[in-house]
Amino acid sequence: MIEEAIISGSCEPSLASPDAVELRTFVSRECGATGFSTGTAIFKGHALLPYHLHDCSEAITILAGAALVAVEGRGYRLGRLDCIHIPAGVPHSIQNANQDSALVAHWSFASPAPARTYTGDAQMFADRGDPLPGDPEHLNRFSKAAVYELAAGAWFSDLFAKRFGSVGICGGYGRFSIGSSLPCHTHAYDESITILRGSATCLVQGARYQLDGGFNTAFVPRGKPHRFLNSGQAEMEMLWVYAGDEPDRAVVDNQYCSGVLPWPEAVGTF
């Protein structure tokens, strides 16, 4: 059985340029994930990841700083927690809009093996504000995203999903008040959870892990009962990604997460 994994937000970059961009991979087939991968890209002042494309859906969510994202020349300015979905095969670029501060972008691919094909296109950025009907990309402005209370003191916003154009991945943002938690639950697909701020206790089928802000990430395989609790003295924020088209959760007894009750393998198999 594939086991859960905890990945440091400051893990070794898979690609690093002294004056440009650091790419880190958190969840991928290297830890046993199927169907998706996640990580971050950190851009120094005005650094640019030039035009490239993927053979799968990609969602880019800004975690810090300001970004200039160009999709076939259509330009968008993104701030913290704004999210843009790029369909497979559509060329795009991303650049740090600021000279004096870093840009941190979280990426999610609908593939367990992250890869990019650079197109060599000249950089173009015609400011569009937001996509128009018929544009292949979809931009979710965090300030306009619907907010729902999934459990007492836990507020969520969906940022990308099939209803927004993505294929094979969905994800969003969660904010937890002090002491709050979702109930123990399972998914029919793998999950990546990145802690943005605060402190979280992660319970997975009797195992306990502590994750703090700084983009530390948990990988939870499909079918494993798990829950996250805000164990700090301030609000906790997370970015969650599923290897599925739309968010879905099956609530189970909390004692399966704590390990008081053994988890039947038949229940955990989809």
Side-chain angles (χ1 to χ4, degrees):
M1 174 177 285
I2 297 173
E3 297 297 325
E4 66 273 10
I6 306 298
I7 303 97
S8 170
S10 57
C11 61
E12 191 70 21
S14 55
L15 173 66
S17 172
D19 57 356
V21 183
E22 291 182 350
L23 296 175
R24 287 180 170 82
T25 300
F26 294 159
V27 170
S28 71
R29 66 182 177 189
E30 296 300 316
C31 64
T34 58
F36 79 145
S37 52
T38 66
T40 56
I42 300 178
F43 297 71
K44 296 186 178 180
H46 286 327
L48 168 71
L49 195 62
Y51 269 100
H52 61 282
L53 51 81
H54 312 282
D55 61 1
C56 62
S57 275
E58 181 187 16
I60 301 168
T61 305
I62 305 306
L63 303 185
L68 304 175
V69 178
V71 185
E72 297 177 323
R74 300 179 294 276
Y76 307 102
R77 298 176 184 273
L78 277 64
R80 185 174 189 266
L81 297 175
D82 289 343
C83 177
I84 189 167
H85 168 257
I86 313 293
V90 176
H92 57 284
S93 69
I94 180 169
Q95 183 174 16
N96 186 350
N98 296 323
Q99 176 59 46
D100 300 325
S101 58
L103 164 67
V104 183
H106 184 282
W107 53 264
S108 306
F109 294 161
S111 167
R116 301 163 182 83
T117 300
Y118 292 94
T119 65
D121 294 340
Q123 181 65 19
M124 298 179 291
F125 187 92
D127 208 329
R128 289 284 292 274
D130 289 323
L132 299 176
D135 289 337
E137 64 274 10
H138 184 276
L139 175 56
N140 235 339
R141 299 284 183 189
F142 183 68
S143 61
K144 300 178 181 179
V147 179
Y148 55 96
E149 192 170 11
L150 197 56
W155 297 275
F156 277 57
S157 294
D158 299 342
L159 298 180
F160 57 100
K162 183 178 181 180
R163 77 195 100 117
F164 303 133
S166 66
V167 177
I169 51 172
C170 62
Y173 166 83
R175 177 172 59 88
F176 292 69
S177 61
I178 298 171
S180 66
S181 169
L182 296 185
C184 188
H185 60 279
T186 65
H187 308 289
Y189 32 66
D190 294 344
E191 180 178 14
S192 167
I193 307 98
T194 298
I195 304 303
L196 308 182
R197 292 178 178 172
S199 182
T201 297
C202 172
L203 301 179
V204 184
Q205 200 172 325
R208 176 183 290 263
Y209 307 95
Q210 193 67 32
L211 289 85
D212 295 322
F215 315 134
N216 296 314
T217 297
F219 164 64
V220 181
R222 65 175 185 161
K224 280 207 166 191
H226 62 283
R227 64 189 303 209
F228 282 76
L229 303 89
N230 182 351
S231 53
Q233 299 303 309
E235 283 193 336
M236 182 263 285
E237 297 179 305
M238 65 164 58
L239 187 73
W240 49 270
V241 181
Y242 300 152
D245 286 337
E246 290 285 347
D248 189 29
R249 305 164 186 88
V251 174
V252 299
D253 194 307
N254 284 338
Q255 293 183 97
Y256 287 124
C257 281
S258 65
V260 172
L261 291 178
W263 179 248
E265 293 302 325
V267 174
T269 303
F270 291 85

